[in-house]
Amino acid sequence: MDDHSRLYIGTAFVAGVLLTIGFKDLVYPELEQRIHEYLACRQSQPAADSEELSTETLVARPGPPAVVEGIEGCIGNTPLFRIKSLSDATGCEILGKAEFLNGAGQSSKDRVALSMIQIAEEHGFLRPHSGDTIYEGTSGSTGISLASLARAKGYLAHIHSCMPSDQAIEKSNLLLKLGAIVDRVPPAPIVEKDNFVNRARSLAQDQTASSTASGRGFFADQFENEANWRAHYNGTGPEIYAQCNGKLDAFIAGAGTGGTISGVALFLKPRIPNLSVVLADPQGSGLYNRVRYGVMFDLKEREGTRRRRQVDTIVEGIGINRVTANFEAGKELVNDAVRVTDAQALAMARWLVEKDGLFVGSSSAVNCFAAVKTAMKLGPGHRIVTVLSDSGSRHLSRFWAKAGDVGGAVDTKLEDVLNATDATDEE
């Protein structure tokens, strides 16, 4: 570039600046003031201090997360958010732990499945790329998480899932898409060999004992395996504590295996001694009476009244009529229990869609109902955390088929949810 060109460009630049300043009152009335403030701020800072401030500012700014290793790296660190409608209606801050945003099977069971696989590998019970098969008795979500992670960690399609035949069909369909073998077995008490948990255990033992099988069978055993509650002790509990800055009045969760409520309680209680841990229990489950009265019993399960052979509720994933090692691990830290009927769970699920656009599964609806009851008991001004275990998309054929379409509903009152009843509800 020759000297004439440089002179021309320089003159044009200066002219542009002068023109801008000349018209600042018409076009940019605040431009001059902002420029002066910026220059004054810059001039007041020594060069070294300015560099240090710039570095701190960049570090403090929120940004995208670091790159993680594989889909298993997307498990945990789920958001905790204010459920606006429930918080506004109760005067408490009701927060939902969005476990449906876990990155493998999109449920809280991702944490459990990963923990069980990792600990099994550490002890030599599972070996990637060896033909080993993972067996599990599941209502669906744990099997889905195991199937996803088995693929990710080198077990290919080697997962065999046994589940009750009365669970939502979309769960077993998803398992099949993930490459799992699925046995849908009739619901049966745990004392019978055909119970879905006992069948999974037996199949794992058969493969291990086989002289022709290419690998061993591993029974994940989510109900009794302490890797379950440890996943929540090491992950969910610390996350909640950090997200709440240690300020929390109540934690609400249902229990199927009992791993979530036990693991979180075991972490939080020593750090927040006054924390109230509350079990959310569906109808037909004996855990409510186990917490309240120390006895495993439910009216809907008494002899001569059961309409089916398992816990009599449309809610899936929580509720049980036997003691599990995972629930017992933290039982002494559970302060109270709230019984939630099917009608109340359905009404709460509809409310959350109507008011918040939040589409959750059946156990999450039970948890939210219990959170509201706890908020009303504690009074306004308290902070309550509950678990949103999975999305309603896994409950379309049963729970949400019963709940129906929300349609144009906009004016449901919380009292309607709290007082929801069904013709079959017992006093």
Side-chain angles (χ1 to χ4, degrees):
M1 184 181 294
D2 58 28
D3 293 339
H4 291 292
S5 299
R6 291 191 182 94
L7 178 62
Y8 174 78
I9 293 172
T11 301
F13 176 74
V14 172
V17 172
L18 292 175
L19 183 63
T20 300
I21 295 175
F23 284 95
K24 67 181 183 301
D25 292 334
L26 294 175
V27 184
Y28 306 116
E30 298 178 357
L31 176 62
E32 185 176 20
Q33 179 182 351
R34 292 182 181 178
I35 291 174
H36 286 312
E37 290 175 352
Y38 172 75
L39 291 175
C41 179
R42 293 281 294 180
Q43 290 170 1
S44 67
Q45 295 285 342
D49 291 345
S50 295
E51 184 177 353
E52 183 179 352
L53 178 63
S54 176
T55 302
E56 290 176 353
T57 303
L58 286 172
V59 170
R61 287 177 182 168
V67 174
V68 296
E69 184 68 20
I71 195 171
E72 58 267 40
C74 301
I75 297 173
N77 294 313
T78 54
L80 184 68
F81 68 95
R82 182 176 182 269
I83 304 177
K84 294 184 289 185
S85 68
L86 300 183
S87 300
D88 293 344
T90 61
C92 286
E93 189 177 34
I94 298 181
L95 309 177
K97 184 69 166 152
E99 289 295 277
F100 56 84
L101 294 179
N102 275 301
Q106 290 83 56
S107 80
S108 58
K109 295 300 185 179
D110 281 357
R111 300 176 186 267
V112 176
L114 182 59
S115 178
M116 291 192 298
I117 290 175
Q118 288 176 333
I119 291 177
E121 288 176 338
E122 290 171 5
H123 288 83
F125 300 139
L126 279 175
R127 299 161 300 171
H129 311 290
S130 66
D132 286 353
T133 304
I134 301 171
Y135 292 84
E136 182 60 307
T138 171
S139 62
S141 290
T142 303
I144 292 167
S145 296
L146 282 169
S148 299
L149 290 168
R151 282 281 184 174
K153 293 180 69 65
Y155 295 97
L156 299 179
H158 296 293
I159 176 167
H160 196 125
S161 180
C162 299
M163 63 188 300
S165 59
D166 58 356
Q167 302 299 289
I169 191 66
E170 51 266 30
K171 293 182 180 180
S172 57
N173 287 344
L174 181 53
L175 277 163
L176 291 171
K177 299 301 182 187
L178 289 167
I181 299 170
V182 180
D183 281 346
R184 290 179 66 93
V185 300
I190 189 65
V191 294
E192 296 185 13
K193 68 175 183 178
D194 292 330
N195 172 272
F196 68 109
V197 174
N198 295 335
R199 178 165 174 75
R201 179 188 292 107
S202 177
L203 289 169
Q205 292 171 345
D206 289 346
Q207 177 169 337
T208 300
S210 172
S211 58
T212 58
S214 60
R216 297 169 300 179
F218 171 70
F219 176 46
D221 199 13
Q222 61 171 322
F223 290 90
E224 310 301 326
N225 190 338
E226 71 171 19
N228 184 339
W229 69 260
R230 289 190 181 279
H232 297 288
Y233 179 86
N234 294 324
T236 318
E239 289 172 27
I240 291 172
Y241 187 80
Q243 289 167 322
C244 291
N245 294 316
K247 298 176 181 178
L248 178 62
D249 298 296
F251 173 71
I252 317 294
T257 64
T260 301
I261 195 167
S262 288
V264 173
L266 285 164
F267 182 87
L268 292 181
K269 270 283 197 175
R271 294 162 177 81
I272 313 175
N274 294 326
L275 177 72
S276 179
V277 177
V278 181
L279 170 75
D281 208 34
Q283 67 181 50
S285 171
L287 294 179
Y288 172 85
N289 286 324
R290 176 71 172 166
V291 170
R292 282 289 189 92
Y293 312 114
V295 178
M296 197 69 125
F297 174 76
D298 184 81
L299 283 174
K300 284 185 175 291
E301 294 292 304
R302 72 183 186 272
E303 192 66 30
T305 66
R306 290 180 295 181
R307 294 193 297 277
R308 30 180 273 204
R309 300 178 71 183
Q310 202 193 23
V311 177
D312 197 1
T313 178
I314 198 172
V315 173
E316 298 180 10
I318 60 173
I320 196 170
N321 277 315
R322 64 183 175 90
V323 174
T324 68
N326 277 285
F327 184 75
E328 290 300 297
K331 175 188 169 294
E332 296 306 316
L333 301 179
V334 180
N335 304 103
D336 200 3
V338 175
R339 167 61 53 80
V340 183
T341 67
D342 283 355
Q344 291 166 337
L346 292 165
M348 176 56 71
R350 290 172 57 88
W351 164 281
L352 291 170
V353 170
E354 177 186 332
K355 306 297 185 183
D356 298 279
L358 185 58
F359 186 54
V360 297
S362 55
S363 62
S364 301
V366 170
N367 288 345
C368 287
F369 187 93
V372 169
K373 295 290 284 188
T374 301
M376 296 174 68
K377 182 177 180 179
L378 294 177
H382 292 86
R383 176 180 280 178
I384 299 165
V385 169
T386 193
V387 179
L388 305 179
S389 306
D390 63 2
S391 165
S393 60
R394 289 188 185 167
H395 302 260
L396 293 175
S397 63
R398 292 192 71 245
F399 182 79
W400 272 101
K402 183 79 171 179
D405 297 334
V406 174
V410 293
D411 59 355
T412 303
K413 304 296 186 294
L414 189 58
E415 304 86 73
D416 299 333
V417 176
L418 295 173
N419 298 322
T421 59
D422 184 84
T424 61
D425 287 344
E426 294 181 314
E427 296 296 330

